[in-house]
Amino acid sequence: MANRILYDHVGVYSKLTNAYCLVAIDASENFYSAYEAELADVIPVVKTSIAGTSIIGRLCAGNKNGLLLPYNTTDQGCLQHLKHSLLCSAKSQLLTGETEEIIADVLGVEVFRHTISDKMLVGSYCVLSNRGALAHPHTSIKAMDEFATLLQVPVSAGTVNRGSEVTGAGLTVNDWTAFCGWDTTATELYVIEAAFQLKQAQPGAFMDVMRKSLIESYV
């Protein structure tokens, strides 16, 4: 299901994956509690800062395999805290001409260079999970078909927070739940839940698969 939080820019101050959730260390207690109430029984919810700032959702990329941080994340205490809390690799990287290789190595995924509706900030204008993607509302049907072929998941176009095109700032998702800004309308919620197939999703099934994967990786 999709959860509304009494805040608009949830994707700026949090990062949600199937294995963990990061929340800005100086976020309000109500903001943190909204995540903890939904997720604490399933995955760790960790308060942190990245590179000394609270805009953690815009400064990292992560999944169950690892977490990619900006090169100026030099606080070793922060890095060790994240590695210990998340039980995954947390790496600080300067993205250069080998950007694709770095991302593929840390996150264990295929990487493609693309734009979203002619916009370069793909993380701001598209939100992605293993079950679907929500792109900029002006993304053409042809482009969505191309994305769906690349990503191997259904791609929809939509908005958050009563018409905001910056979906990555107002929405964060994993394979069974989503959090969006309080101003997100009922129609936008419907599109989000359909795009990421959230009504059919249950965390238990995903966690069983993840636990099996972790066990196999240590055997």
Side-chain angles (χ1 to χ4, degrees):
M1 62 176 292
N3 305 274
R4 290 195 306 165
I5 298 181
L6 194 55
Y7 206 83
D8 284 341
H9 304 304
V10 298
V12 174
Y13 299 102
S14 65
K15 172 63 66 176
L16 175 63
T17 77
N18 284 351
Y20 53 85
C21 178
L22 304 181
V23 178
I25 198 167
D26 57 355
S28 71
E29 192 59 33
N30 287 341
F31 185 75
Y32 175 77
S33 296
Y35 285 94
E36 190 176 46
E38 180 71 19
L39 302 171
D41 292 339
V42 187
I43 58 176
V45 181
V46 180
K47 290 184 177 182
T48 189
S49 62
I50 294 177
T53 77
S54 59
I55 55 172
I56 60 174
R58 300 295 83 199
L59 294 181
C60 69
N63 61 13
K64 66 181 179 64
N65 298 318
L67 180 67
L68 189 63
L69 303 169
Y71 74 97
N72 59 340
T73 308
T74 55
D75 183 346
Q76 290 302 311
C78 172
L79 287 172
Q80 291 304 316
H81 168 62
L82 289 171
K83 289 179 180 179
H84 176 73
S85 301
L86 308 183
L87 299 179
C88 72
S89 60
K91 296 186 179 181
S92 174
Q93 295 283 0
L94 172 63
L95 299 186
T96 62
E98 293 76 38
T99 297
E100 291 95 334
E101 289 83 355
I102 294 170
I103 297 172
D105 177 62
V106 175
L107 303 183
V109 296
E110 288 187 87
V111 181
F112 308 98
R113 284 185 180 266
H114 223 294
T115 59
I116 303 293
S117 192
D118 296 326
K119 298 182 183 299
M120 301 295 291
L121 300 176
V122 294
S124 295
Y125 293 98
C126 183
V127 179
L128 175 67
S129 79
N130 291 316
R131 296 171 65 84
L134 186 72
H136 188 283
H138 296 158
T139 306
S140 68
I141 294 177
K142 179 180 178 181
M144 285 192 287
D145 288 341
E146 290 175 358
F147 295 149
T149 300
L150 281 176
L151 302 171
Q152 293 298 295
V153 296
V155 177
S156 305
T159 60
V160 294
N161 291 327
R162 204 174 295 275
S164 172
E165 300 172 348
V166 191
T167 53
L171 173 67
T172 184
V173 305
N174 65 13
D175 285 351
W176 69 83
T177 192
F179 296 85
C180 57
W182 186 257
D183 283 339
T184 301
T185 67
T187 300
E188 289 171 331
L189 282 172
Y190 176 83
V191 172
I192 290 167
E193 291 185 338
F196 296 104
Q197 304 178 58
L198 295 178
K199 289 188 176 179
Q200 308 98 297
Q202 295 294 329
F206 294 105
M207 296 311 298
D208 289 342
V209 172
M210 286 179 57
R211 290 190 186 100
K212 182 179 179 182
S213 175
L214 285 171
I215 292 170
E216 290 175 348
S217 67
Y218 283 103
V219 172

